[in-house]
Amino acid sequence: MNTSDCLFCKVLERKIPAKVEYEDDKLLAFYDINPQAPVHLLLVPKKHIEKISDLEENHIALTGSLIYKAARIAEKNHWTDYRLVFNNGAQAGQSVFHIHLHLLSGRKMRWPPG
Ligand code: AMP
Ligand code: ZN
């Protein structure tokens, strides 16, 4: 998909509004429009990468920072227990093809996920 057709690129460019929790030069964290838990954030890299399976070695620091920043955001908000999820591919539940880390918290999580 072209970046101009990408929903999360549009959020990053502020062409689509979002409730932003955190931003730095590498990523934006905003609240999911259809939350699956009392807390449901998405951490989105500013670089357009479609899928986790497309990651290259030079993306290691970027993807690590998504997880690290999720932990820092949770800590700041006193969310002690949470789930971090990447969906890779439609069959796994990916609907937006710009990688994003889900941060879910505020309720008891089931295992295994559906
Ligand atoms: P996934 O299904 O893993 O690709 O996750 C995509 C997520 O993006 C879903 O949880 C959607 O609810 C969420 N979403 C779609 N459009 C928006 C939007 N405009 N703002 C915030 N979240 C969105
Ligand atoms: Zn994109």
Side-chain angles (χ1 to χ4, degrees):
M1 184 190 287
N2 190 293
T3 58
S4 61
D5 301 323
C6 171
L7 182 69
F8 287 169
C9 282
K10 291 194 178 109
V11 172
L12 291 167
E13 292 163 15
R14 304 301 209 272
K15 290 180 179 160
I16 293 176
K19 187 183 170 203
V20 173
E21 169 69 26
Y22 174 82
E23 178 169 21
D24 64 25
D25 56 331
K26 301 251 179 341
L27 64 92
L28 186 71
F30 55 93
Y31 285 86
D32 197 294
I33 204 168
N34 182 25
Q36 300 303 310
V39 173
H40 188 171
L41 275 177
L42 302 171
L43 286 92
V44 177
K46 292 191 170 176
K47 182 174 178 59
H48 178 89
I49 303 165
E50 288 189 14
K51 297 169 74 176
I52 289 291
S53 49
D54 293 331
L55 287 172
E56 297 169 8
E57 197 166 3
N58 63 313
H59 300 139
I60 289 173
L62 176 61
T63 46
S65 73
L66 291 176
I67 297 170
Y68 178 75
K69 293 298 180 182
R72 295 288 71 76
I73 291 167
E75 181 179 52
K76 174 175 168 279
N77 288 287
H78 309 289
W79 305 328
T80 55
D81 294 34
Y82 48 87
R83 181 169 289 173
L84 303 179
V85 177
F86 286 108
N87 295 323
N88 186 74
Q91 184 80 0
Q94 186 175 5
S95 61
V96 178
F97 286 80
H98 178 138
I99 62 172
H100 49 280
L101 177 61
H102 295 260
L103 190 169
L104 299 136
S105 187
R107 67 167 168 83
K108 181 156 175 58
M109 300 291 164
R110 293 174 295 277
W111 192 263

